[in-house]
């Protein structure tokens, strides 16, 4: 990526030479020079963030934009913010109404698939005769078509199907006017959210944008016939209908870009550059199912990628439940993507502890990150619905980075499915991690066999019971005779035993609930 920056400055130097040589065309060259200087500054900002990371001398801050959560589509905004605050998360996927809640103070929000907020995106084919002329006109002139000669609604290119008859429509990014209209609307909406928060006395600022299914060829779905003749739908590209990466349009509509991919990249680029005028540190995040197939392959094969540097993401969260996000060599070969730009966001490890251990440990060992995107598990809409183990374990790689734990001190025992470091431990029987920037160790016992080692140089001062959002409840447990007990009026039941710096459970009722140990340094 340093090479890319150097190329920009070479171009700037050449433009300066042109200015000296051809004064008659000075105005034109001056405009070009300003353009290259602006883009080069942006690229230097992005490239500088991803210079090679020294794994032994990490220096991450708690407000790093990769300290991020976006896992509760349709969930309670207050519950999401409460969970994030209890986990020390500073960057969050936006949910409606967050700007009105004091829990949002000090956070940054990210608009998810922000273009969908700018137009009526959903159509129900069973109600085609109910739509107004204005609605039909807008869809036919601003959304992608698959057949310009077909009658409405069969002329519209179809996106994700919510039901067999109801689907999403995709904007026609081959039109510059659609890009301009969409970008202006997104920036206006983002500023509105931030301004409403400010009026409420809440410091809640735009962090950036996050896309599900971000590939330049679009999130289209086409119909195919199965072996038994049944109609099936699968994700397709424009060429499914036209044979090329381009879609048709009605008379009077102008396609400024030859391909759909080029138009969508222009959208990403323009949104970043225009947003930066108001939100200088804006970030772009992509969430492909597989980083290579659904994003990076599309980028690597382009010969004009220098033109679209501003469209490239600052962070990539990969959905699939595998270690591809750190061990697919194709992703990292060119240097456009580095492992500290990657995170797992899989929602497929609800009860698959072994697979999650493999995925998260791989990320931690490689200096990558871990988070949620879309939903924390299939069908989950709220953090309260999610097992305590998963709510804690998912931030293994992220917490290791934010604790600046050297890579050499992160270890994974593949034979026994056990991860360990001075700041995090995760086995098939228990999980525990020190929340970055605090002396608090959150932990969950998964089975009666679980063992949690108190971090070296520390002792447990007190233990608190946590609710489903990780907020402390009840009085701190009392400790006597090597046992932590409830300290309630009508219950002194034993919960944990501490011996030789190892915490174990002595009551099966605590399994799969969350607790927090406050640590104090010892004199040793």
């Amino acid at each position: 990526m340093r090479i890319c920056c150097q190329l920009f400055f070479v171009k700037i130097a050449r433009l300066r030479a042109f200015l000296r040589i051809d004064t008659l065309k000075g105005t034109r060259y001056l405009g070009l020079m300003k353009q290259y200087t602006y883009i080069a500054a942006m690229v230097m900002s992005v490239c500088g963030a991803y210079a090679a990371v020294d794994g032994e001398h990490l220096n991450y801050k708690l407000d790093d934009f990769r300290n991020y959560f976006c896992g509760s589509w349709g969930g309670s905004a207050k519950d999401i913010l409460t969970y994030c605050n209890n986990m020390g998360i500073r960057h969050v996927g936006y949910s409606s109404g967050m700007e009105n809640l004091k829990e949002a103070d000090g956070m940054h929000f990210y608009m998810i698939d922000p273009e969908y907020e700018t137009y009526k995106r959903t159509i129900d084919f069973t109600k085609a005769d109910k739509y107004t002329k204005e609605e039909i006109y807008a869809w036919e002139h601003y959304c992608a078509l698959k057949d310009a000669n077909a009658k409405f609604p069969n002329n519209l290119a179809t996106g994700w199907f919510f039901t067999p008859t109801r689907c999403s429509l995709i904007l026609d990014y081959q039109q510059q006017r659609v890009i301009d209209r969409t970008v202006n609307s997104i920036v206006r909406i983002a500023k509105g959210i931030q301004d409403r928060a400010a009026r409420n006395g809440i410091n809640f600022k735009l962090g950036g944008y996050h896309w599900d299914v971000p590939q330049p060829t679009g999130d289209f779905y086409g119909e195919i016939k199965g072996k038994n003749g049944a109609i099936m739908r699968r994700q397709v590209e424009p060429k499914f209908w036209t044979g090329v990466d381009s879609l048709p349009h009605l008379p009077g509509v102008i396609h400024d870009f030859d391909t759909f991919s080029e138009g969508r990249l222009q959208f990403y680029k323009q949104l970043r550059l225009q947003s930066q005028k108001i939100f200088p540190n804006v970030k772009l995040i992509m969430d492909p199912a597989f980083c290579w197939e659904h994003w990076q392959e599309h980028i690597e094969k382009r010969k004009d990628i220098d033109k679209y540097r501003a469209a490239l993401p600052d962070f990539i969260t990969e959905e699939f439940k595998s270690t591809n996000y750190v061990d697919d060599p194709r992703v990292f070969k060119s240097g456009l993507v580095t492992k500290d730009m990657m995170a797992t966001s899989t929602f497929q490890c609800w009860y698959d502890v072994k697979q999650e251990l493999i995925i998260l440990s791989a990320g931690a060992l490689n200096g990558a990150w871990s988070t949620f995107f879309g939903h924390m598990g299939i069908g989950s809409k709220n953090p309260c619905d999610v097992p305590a183990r998963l709510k804690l374990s998912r931030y293994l790689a992220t917490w290791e980075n934010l604790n600046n734990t050297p890579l050499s001190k992160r270890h994974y025992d593949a034979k026994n499915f056990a991860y360990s470091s001075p700041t995090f431990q995760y086995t098939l029987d228990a999980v525990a991690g020190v929340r970055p920037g605090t002396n608090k160790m959150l932990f969950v016992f998964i089975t009666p066999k679980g063992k949690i080692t108190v971090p070296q140089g520390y002792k447990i001062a007190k233990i608190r019971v946590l609710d489903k959002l990780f907020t402390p409840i009840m009085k701190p447990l009392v400790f006597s005779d090597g046992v932590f007990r409830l300290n309630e009026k009508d219950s002194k039941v034993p919960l944990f035993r501490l011996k030789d710096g190892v915490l174990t459970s002595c009551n099966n009722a605590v399994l799969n609930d969350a607790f927090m140990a406050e640590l104090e340094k010892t004199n040793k």
Side-chain angles (χ1 to χ4, degrees):
M1 296 189 79
R2 293 175 182 171
I3 293 174
C4 300
C5 298
Q6 291 169 359
L7 289 174
F8 275 111
F9 288 116
V10 167
K11 292 180 179 180
I12 291 170
R14 290 174 178 171
L15 284 170
R16 287 172 176 162
F18 288 152
L19 282 170
R20 291 194 296 269
I21 293 171
D22 194 341
T23 56
L24 293 177
K25 297 180 180 179
T27 301
R28 177 188 172 209
Y29 288 128
L30 181 60
L32 286 171
M33 180 177 156
K34 288 181 178 178
Q35 180 183 3
Y36 274 119
T37 302
Y38 182 69
I39 295 175
M42 182 280 301
V43 173
M44 278 299 291
S45 174
V46 174
C47 293
Y50 303 118
V53 174
D54 181 354
E56 298 310 299
H57 301 90
L58 300 175
N59 190 30
Y60 289 116
K61 308 300 182 185
L62 296 181
D63 61 356
D64 190 289
F65 67 93
R66 291 159 291 194
N67 184 12
Y68 176 72
F69 172 88
C70 180
S72 288
W73 279 341
S76 159
K78 186 169 185 177
D79 283 356
I80 292 168
L81 292 171
T82 299
Y83 166 72
C84 287
N85 277 310
N86 288 332
M87 290 287 286
I89 296 166
R90 304 286 181 84
H91 298 258
V92 59
Y94 177 75
S95 285
S96 180
M98 281 183 170
E99 66 270 30
N100 301 316
L101 301 172
K102 60 181 175 53
E103 288 84 357
D105 192 47
M107 290 192 178
H108 290 80
F109 67 91
Y110 292 72
M111 294 179 65
I112 312 303
D113 298 319
E115 61 271 28
Y116 290 150
E117 301 299 320
T118 69
Y119 69 106
K120 184 175 181 177
R121 62 173 285 208
T122 305
I123 185 171
D124 188 333
F125 291 103
T126 64
K127 300 178 180 179
D129 59 341
K130 305 295 184 182
Y131 293 113
T132 66
K133 291 181 179 179
E134 291 76 16
E135 289 173 317
I136 295 172
Y137 180 90
W139 280 330
E140 291 185 329
H141 288 77
Y142 291 98
C143 290
L145 304 183
K146 64 182 179 183
D147 184 352
N149 296 317
K151 292 184 178 181
F152 175 84
N154 297 320
N155 54 351
L156 299 171
T158 47
W160 172 262
F161 277 82
F162 302 98
T163 70
T165 64
R166 183 171 166 267
C167 82
S168 177
L169 299 177
I170 309 299
L171 289 172
D172 182 3
Y173 292 109
Q174 290 182 250
Q175 298 184 55
Q176 182 62 53
R177 67 168 184 166
V178 169
I179 295 173
D180 293 341
R181 175 177 175 269
T182 305
V183 167
N184 290 338
S185 296
I186 292 171
V187 174
R188 183 173 62 251
I189 292 169
K191 189 175 185 302
I193 294 170
Q194 184 169 300
D195 289 348
R196 286 195 296 277
R199 289 194 293 271
N200 292 325
I202 298 169
N203 180 22
F204 190 50
K205 296 181 178 180
L206 179 74
Y209 310 102
H210 198 165
W211 284 273
D212 187 22
V213 195
Q215 53 259 43
T217 48
D219 187 17
F220 294 105
Y221 276 76
E223 294 183 342
I224 61 172
K225 285 188 177 181
K227 293 181 179 180
N228 59 358
I231 298 297
M232 301 172 60
R233 295 188 176 99
R234 64 176 176 86
Q235 192 174 73
V236 299
E237 298 180 354
K239 64 183 179 182
F240 174 79
W241 293 296
T242 65
V244 293
D245 183 18
S246 181
L247 291 166
H249 58 83
L250 295 180
V253 171
I254 297 174
H255 271 183
D256 303 279
F257 299 95
D258 292 335
T259 67
F260 188 88
S261 294
E262 188 178 5
R264 198 172 190 198
L265 287 174
Q266 175 64 26
F267 162 67
Y268 291 142
K269 170 185 173 180
Q270 192 167 319
L271 181 58
R272 182 198 286 273
L273 296 180
Q274 189 162 325
S275 296
Q276 283 180 331
K277 296 175 182 178
I278 303 175
F279 317 104
N281 297 316
V282 67
K283 306 297 183 187
L284 305 188
I285 307 176
M286 305 301 179
D287 187 75
F290 290 99
C291 182
W292 177 254
E293 290 86 347
H294 300 125
W295 177 258
Q296 199 59 26
E297 182 180 19
H298 296 265
I299 301 303
E300 300 279 357
K301 68 183 181 183
R302 297 194 68 87
K303 296 180 180 179
D304 61 351
I305 194 58
D306 278 352
K307 181 179 178 181
Y308 295 107
R309 291 283 168 180
L312 303 187
D314 302 277
F315 194 31
I316 300 173
T317 59
E318 184 175 290
E319 284 187 11
F320 198 72
K321 64 169 186 175
S322 76
T323 58
N324 282 341
Y325 73 108
V326 290
D327 62 18
D328 185 340
R330 298 172 297 178
V331 173
F332 309 106
K333 185 177 180 179
S334 70
L336 287 174
V337 176
T338 52
K339 293 182 180 181
D340 56 318
M341 293 172 62
M342 298 297 301
T344 178
S345 63
T346 183
F347 55 85
Q348 299 164 314
C349 292
W350 190 282
Y351 293 122
D352 195 345
V353 181
K354 285 185 178 180
Q355 184 65 18
E356 193 194 33
L357 263 163
I358 293 170
I359 295 170
L360 296 176
S361 297
L365 295 178
N366 283 277
W369 303 74
S370 50
T371 186
F372 291 101
F373 176 75
H375 39 100
M376 301 169 80
I378 297 174
S380 165
K381 289 188 176 182
N382 196 296
C384 291
D385 302 333
V386 180
R389 179 269 307 170
L390 183 59
K391 282 183 285 199
L392 175 57
S393 63
R394 176 51 57 87
Y395 280 87
L396 187 161
T398 290
W399 278 16
E400 290 291 71
N401 286 340
L402 296 177
N403 276 317
N404 292 307
T405 303
L407 297 189
S408 62
K409 294 187 178 181
R410 307 180 189 186
H411 305 288
Y412 178 61
D413 179 349
K415 181 179 179 180
N416 294 304
F417 296 96
Y419 176 89
S420 63
S421 82
T423 47
F424 213 105
Q425 48 201 295
Y426 187 16
T427 69
L428 297 176
D429 302 305
V431 57
V434 176
R435 177 181 149 182
T438 74
N439 66 335
K440 300 172 181 178
M441 181 178 72
L442 279 64
F443 65 92
V444 176
F445 282 97
I446 304 169
T447 77
K449 299 178 181 179
K451 296 180 180 181
I452 294 171
T453 301
V454 179
Q456 187 174 3
Y458 290 85
K459 63 180 180 180
I460 295 178
K462 62 180 69 172
I463 291 179
R464 300 292 303 273
V465 180
L466 303 181
D467 68 11
K468 292 184 180 297
L469 297 173
F470 288 3
T471 301
I473 55 176
M474 303 185 185
K475 299 175 183 177
L477 306 187
V478 292
F479 181 68
S480 63
D481 300 323
V483 175
F484 285 94
R485 303 172 183 272
L486 279 180
N487 190 24
E488 300 305 307
K489 180 179 180 181
D490 298 321
S491 180
K492 306 296 181 183
V493 63
L495 301 184
F496 307 107
R497 181 172 290 106
L498 181 64
K499 183 178 181 180
D500 298 329
V502 177
L503 191 68
T504 55
S505 65
C506 53
N507 186 329
N508 286 347
V510 305
L511 300 182
N512 296 300
D513 280 343
F515 298 84
M516 179 180 69
E518 295 186 16
L519 305 175
E520 287 184 356
K521 287 187 176 181
T522 62
N523 295 324
K524 296 181 181 179

